[in-house]
Amino acid sequence: MDTEGTYDARGTRSGSVPRPAGPPPRPALPPRPAEAPTSGPTTLGDWLRTPRAAAEPGLWRFGHKPRADADPERVPDRALLVGALVALLAGTLVWSLWTNGYVPHSRVLLELFTPAEWWRYPRPPEALTAIEVYNSLFAALLIYVFGRMGNWLEVFRRYAVDCPQPERTLRTALAGAVAVWVVIGTSLFPFFFTIWNLFPLSWTTGNGDRTVATLVNYGLYALVGGAVLWPFAKAGDWLGHLRKRTAAPPAQHPGAPAPAPVTSPADWPQLRAAGLGDAADRLVAEERSGRMNDVDCVRIRRAWATVKADPSRLGAFTEAVAAQGARACLHPSGDRDLPARAATHDLLTSQVRLGRYPDAERTPPARRGAGAALDPGSLGSSLLAIGPFGAGKTRHLVRPVVESLALQALAGKAAVVAVCAAGTPLGPDDGYDVVVKPGDASSAYDLDLYAGATDPDEAAALLAEAFAGDLAEVDPRRAATVLAQLLGPYRAAHGRFPSVTVLRELLDGSPGVLEELRSRLDGEKHRAYHRELDARERQLGTPGDPGLALAARVAVLDRPAFEGFFDTTGQSRPFSLRSLEHPLRVRIDVPERGHPEAAHLLTRLILAQFTAGATARRDRSLFAFLALDDATHAVTAESVRSLQRLRNCNAGVLLTLRALGDVPEQLHTSLLGSVGCHMAFSGVTTWDGRLFAQAWGTEWVETTEVAKHTVFADQPLTRAVHALRKLVTGKAVTTDAVTVRTVERERWSASELAHQVPAGHAVLSLTAVKGEHAPPLLVDLRG
């Protein structure tokens, strides 16, 4: 049950699946619970229990809390607080002027409705009480007016009421305490003294009895304080919060069924539901002891999914978990993790975090501050990234994606092939199962030039795409025909395809080569192959013969640096892209520096072999992915057509280019249309930005136009005032005419993409395999 039979190579297990060169893997790896943000969980159990939101494509789901769309009428926090503070200062100033007698005729209304003898000296107690009541009414009116102006109720609702419990109770209680202090504890407002004066003097003094007077006064304090606190208690739901805190668990009737326990993903409920409690307990013990990491967890979950699909594997699965625990169902390499991780991953959702969506005007409110991520659901529609040297394509995109797919390969969910120039930092060699280095004598693996094909026509089509796919003067179909005319007879005569040197001689039409090949073919049995060779001999040297161009391209690989590579005799360890049905981690280092033309040819060949191998798989349960760190000169008309077929095959391709000028101009539109995901890094040119803008289309936006019109006065006094204002400000008096309308505008214009994308940022648009879309949004790759 180590591999469940799904990870084994064709034939016997020994030698069929390529193993990484070097020392064997360590028997145990230090537990790595989860690559989550630094503020996230610290244990594997916390990582498993962290909720994953059902978010749109491109959103980091780990611990994501969806934000509500912004209310267009919502006042910004800064403006709300400043307005409330200004209203408070203005109200304090007016109240100070009122209480200090700087407001003339402030008591006119009071004297109008009260007896005149109250205002002669000495004033009776009734006059003093009337003044307190009058000032209290004015203070209440002042608080109401400036409270409306400063929107104090909205401040209280936003920062106190709209908070979860128990924070809501604490904040409303604090606000209520401040209100009680203002009303009772200070002499700033006369509310309490007014209420105190309204009671008979005999009550408040107790007719000389200190005990009665104390009880009455403290009761009055409690009554006023309770009246002030009541609206705060209602707004903060103090009673409801208290009931929840003190409520006892509901009593269970003797005959009632027990409530269902709250299951946690860390307790392996899927195994317990199937009756495998012992296996679940063993895995829980492994997790709590720190001997399990996130790769182990996802790998065993994947193995359990295969058991559900094929119940005959249940016994082997149970035995493997009972005997090996977290090491059950290991990857054929024996690795349980990568040697190092450079990105943040969430293997439960198969996501890798690229950065975050900044809090910018173009970013929808629901995505502001959220993480940006990629997963196989989006990568399955393929991704095209454009950016100049130094934009961070390898560091911020290629390596995180390759690393994520390598981790998923260890969990038995994916197969990844990374193609890069020698020396590109895509992780150490021991992080891969196969590392192919054409042109490097230390390479432990070779590359199968024919991708394991046995059909000469299929092999000829792949070679024609690699050798002549970028040549405008050579028809790829004629090139495939020429190659098939030679590959078929040679395989019939030798039982294998020709080596690079022999293929070059056959295409050149070297003297005696075709005759020797014809002599090895039986005249009756191989009559069709004789006709192929006769047709090839007739075409040699004729105008338009693609043989010479193909021979020149084959000569690029027929160099001393590649001696011993592309062997067809079975003496080397060739890697074939036909093995995409197995969870392999492969890196191919093309010789970009020493042999750039050979590197371009090999990149085209690998792309053609990958698309052919991915579409020809019988078992498509694994997600197959090819990452081309530099797809310069690798994109052809046939490869663009092949990319569109990958969506239905659970496969995808990542293409990075310095500029779209590396692709023939006639392929620009079709390339952008064949991939579902686009990424424009900082520094793209306006020419490339124009194509991205066309691919992303337009949207309806609301625009506001303000037109200023000069005001012409008719009255002499008004003209004089306008002239004085113009003399002081230096500007004519104008009035604003505001026009609001809805217009159709490009999501990102070419100029914005070229000049308004900051360094370390990129604009990312996604289309999932299921058809879900994410609009082009700015992503901070350093966040």
Side-chain angles (χ1 to χ4, degrees):
M1 191 56 198
D2 290 346
T3 63
E4 305 175 300
T6 60
Y7 306 148
D8 299 337
R10 290 186 178 91
T12 60
R13 288 181 52 187
S14 59
S16 296
V17 175
R19 303 276 181 161
R26 295 181 295 274
L29 294 173
R32 183 191 297 266
E35 289 292 336
T38 54
S39 59
T42 57
T43 65
L44 180 62
D46 294 337
W47 176 74
L48 287 170
R49 283 185 287 268
T50 301
R52 274 81 173 169
E56 300 174 349
L59 271 175
W60 176 251
R61 296 172 53 191
F62 179 83
H64 173 67
K65 296 180 180 179
R67 295 174 55 181
D69 292 337
D71 185 1
E73 299 181 358
R74 177 185 172 94
V75 180
D77 292 350
R78 182 176 180 180
L80 181 65
L81 294 176
V82 170
L85 180 61
V86 170
L88 177 62
L89 296 177
T92 303
L93 176 63
V94 173
W95 178 248
S96 177
L97 295 176
W98 177 273
T99 55
N100 290 302
Y102 290 103
V103 179
H105 311 291
S106 59
R107 297 180 181 172
V108 171
L109 292 177
L110 180 62
E111 295 175 357
L112 184 63
F113 291 99
T114 55
E117 58 270 13
W118 284 12
W119 309 110
R120 300 188 185 98
Y121 290 98
R123 292 176 180 172
E126 292 81 359
L128 298 179
T129 302
I131 291 175
E132 294 292 340
V133 174
Y134 185 67
N135 287 340
S136 298
L137 293 176
F138 181 78
L141 178 63
L142 199 68
I143 293 174
Y144 174 77
V145 171
F146 282 96
R148 290 290 300 271
M149 294 174 58
N151 215 353
W152 294 350
L153 186 61
E154 177 62 22
V155 174
F156 175 70
R157 182 183 299 111
R158 185 177 301 184
Y159 297 103
V161 179
D162 294 343
C163 294
Q165 296 286 13
E167 190 176 356
R168 176 182 177 184
T169 297
L170 294 176
R171 293 193 178 191
T172 53
L174 179 61
V178 172
V180 170
W181 176 76
V182 170
V183 173
I184 298 178
T186 66
S187 59
L188 181 63
F189 295 106
F191 298 121
F192 179 75
F193 300 101
T194 301
I195 298 173
W196 190 81
N197 288 329
L198 290 177
F199 283 84
L201 186 61
S202 60
W203 290 20
T204 57
T205 60
N207 290 327
D209 190 342
R210 294 176 59 86
T211 303
V212 175
T214 301
L215 291 176
V216 170
N217 282 275
Y218 277 106
L220 190 58
Y221 274 107
L223 180 64
V224 175
V228 174
L229 284 178
W230 180 79
F232 294 93
K234 186 176 181 180
D237 193 21
W238 296 358
L239 186 59
H241 178 59
L242 181 62
R243 289 174 178 172
K244 290 182 180 179
R245 292 292 299 270
T246 59
Q252 184 176 353
H253 297 287
V262 179
T263 59
S264 169
D267 294 332
W268 297 87
Q270 61 272 40
L271 298 185
R272 300 185 187 276
L276 302 180
D278 294 339
D281 292 338
R282 173 65 189 274
L283 295 177
V284 170
E286 294 278 290
E287 175 260 313
R288 293 178 179 175
S289 63
R291 295 191 296 269
M292 178 182 288
N293 61 11
D294 54 346
V295 177
D296 297 331
C297 177
V298 177
R299 186 187 66 249
I300 296 175
R301 282 170 173 254
R302 166 75 176 181
W304 174 246
T306 62
V307 171
K308 293 177 65 177
D310 186 3
S312 62
R313 301 179 179 179
L314 179 59
F317 173 83
T318 306
E319 294 176 1
V321 173
Q324 303 176 19
R327 297 180 59 85
C329 314
L330 274 179
H331 184 266
S333 66
D335 294 341
R336 298 170 58 196
D337 202 350
L338 298 179
R341 298 191 189 187
T344 303
H345 305 275
D346 182 26
L347 293 183
L348 275 186
T349 57
S350 302
Q351 284 190 315
V352 55
R353 183 183 173 105
L354 298 183
R356 68 176 184 88
Y357 296 104
D359 191 358
E361 180 182 358
R362 286 182 174 271
T363 307
R367 290 186 178 242
R368 292 177 183 175
L374 290 175
D375 59 6
S378 299
L379 294 173
S381 62
S382 298
L383 190 152
L384 173 66
I386 306 292
F389 280 116
K393 300 187 298 296
T394 302
R395 180 173 67 257
H396 295 304
L397 177 63
V398 179
R399 176 162 185 180
V401 170
V402 171
E403 191 174 272
S404 174
L405 271 299
L407 288 171
Q408 294 177 47
L410 290 178
K413 299 173 61 178
V416 59
V417 179
V419 181
C420 60
T424 304
L426 291 186
D429 291 356
D430 55 355
Y432 295 88
D433 302 313
V434 176
V435 178
V436 184
K437 301 178 180 180
D440 189 346
S442 63
S443 177
Y445 293 93
D446 193 3
L447 181 65
D448 189 346
L449 199 65
Y450 301 96
T454 57
D455 183 7
D457 292 329
E458 181 183 357
L462 295 177
L463 291 182
E465 171 66 14
F467 294 147
D470 62 329
L471 297 178
E473 64 275 12
V474 177
D475 185 358
R477 290 174 296 183
R478 292 194 61 191
T481 301
V482 170
L483 288 168
Q485 289 173 345
L486 298 173
L487 296 181
Y490 192 91
R491 180 174 177 80
H494 298 274
R496 57 181 175 85
F497 289 122
S499 63
V500 172
T501 303
V502 175
L503 181 60
R504 178 185 179 184
E505 293 176 352
L506 291 172
L507 291 170
D508 273 336
S510 300
V513 176
L514 294 179
E515 291 299 329
E516 180 184 358
L517 178 58
R518 182 182 285 105
S519 64
R520 288 178 173 269
L521 296 173
D522 183 82
E524 294 295 331
K525 183 179 179 180
H526 301 130
R527 183 177 303 175
Y529 290 133
H530 277 282
R531 290 198 302 268
E532 295 277 29
L533 292 177
D534 293 340
R536 180 67 202 129
E537 285 183 338
R538 289 193 299 268
Q539 294 173 3
L540 281 174
T542 60
D545 178 25
L548 295 179
L550 292 173
R553 284 300 179 88
V554 176
V556 173
L557 300 180
D558 189 19
R559 304 292 300 163
F562 301 107
E563 184 178 0
F565 284 90
F566 317 117
D567 181 67
T568 60
T569 61
Q571 299 179 359
S572 64
R573 303 173 68 188
F575 167 72
S576 171
L577 285 170
R578 291 277 178 176
S579 57
L580 293 177
E581 295 181 354
H582 307 289
L584 292 175
R585 301 165 294 162
V586 183
R587 195 186 75 216
I588 302 176
D589 296 345
V590 294
E592 178 67 35
R593 296 179 181 177
H595 305 274
E597 190 174 356
H600 300 161
L601 189 150
L602 290 175
T603 305
R604 284 194 302 273
L605 177 63
I606 294 169
L607 179 57
Q609 291 183 354
F610 176 83
T611 55
T615 55
R617 291 185 301 169
R618 294 189 302 271
D619 182 8
R620 298 179 179 179
S621 59
L622 295 181
F623 178 68
F625 192 75
L626 172 67
L628 298 181
D629 183 60
D630 185 3
T632 304
H633 306 296
V635 179
T636 63
E638 181 59 31
S639 64
V640 170
R641 285 190 291 268
S642 300
L643 290 177
Q644 299 175 356
R645 296 194 295 266
L646 294 179
R647 297 194 185 191
N648 298 329
C649 304
N650 196 23
V653 173
L654 168 60
L655 305 172
T656 65
L657 298 170
R658 292 185 293 273
L660 281 174
D662 297 336
V663 178
E665 184 176 359
Q666 64 272 18
L667 297 179
H668 289 176
T669 303
S670 57
L671 175 61
L672 289 172
S674 62
V675 297
C677 305
H678 307 89
M679 198 169 185
F681 282 78
S682 172
V684 298
T685 63
T686 53
W687 294 275
D688 291 345
R690 176 178 56 84
L691 294 173
F692 275 113
Q694 293 176 357
W696 288 332
T698 59
E699 62 180 346
W700 290 98
V701 296
E702 188 177 85
T703 61
T704 302
E705 297 179 358
V706 180
K708 296 183 177 295
H709 302 284
T710 304
V711 178
F712 298 97
D714 297 331
Q715 302 298 326
L717 180 60
T718 307
R719 286 199 298 268
V721 172
H722 288 185
L724 178 62
R725 181 175 174 182
K726 183 176 182 180
L727 180 64
V728 173
T729 61
K731 298 180 181 179
V733 179
T734 60
T735 183
D736 294 340
V738 181
T739 303
V740 179
R741 58 180 180 176
T742 302
V743 298
E744 193 174 11
R745 189 185 66 181
E746 290 179 328
R747 297 180 184 271
W748 283 85
S749 67
S751 178
E752 290 171 340
L753 287 172
H755 305 294
Q756 294 187 14
V757 178
H761 291 67
V763 179
L764 174 65
S765 71
L766 299 175
T767 300
V769 177
K770 296 181 179 179
E772 300 170 311
H773 294 271
L777 298 175
L778 187 67
V779 177
D780 184 0
L781 301 174
R782 301 168 299 187

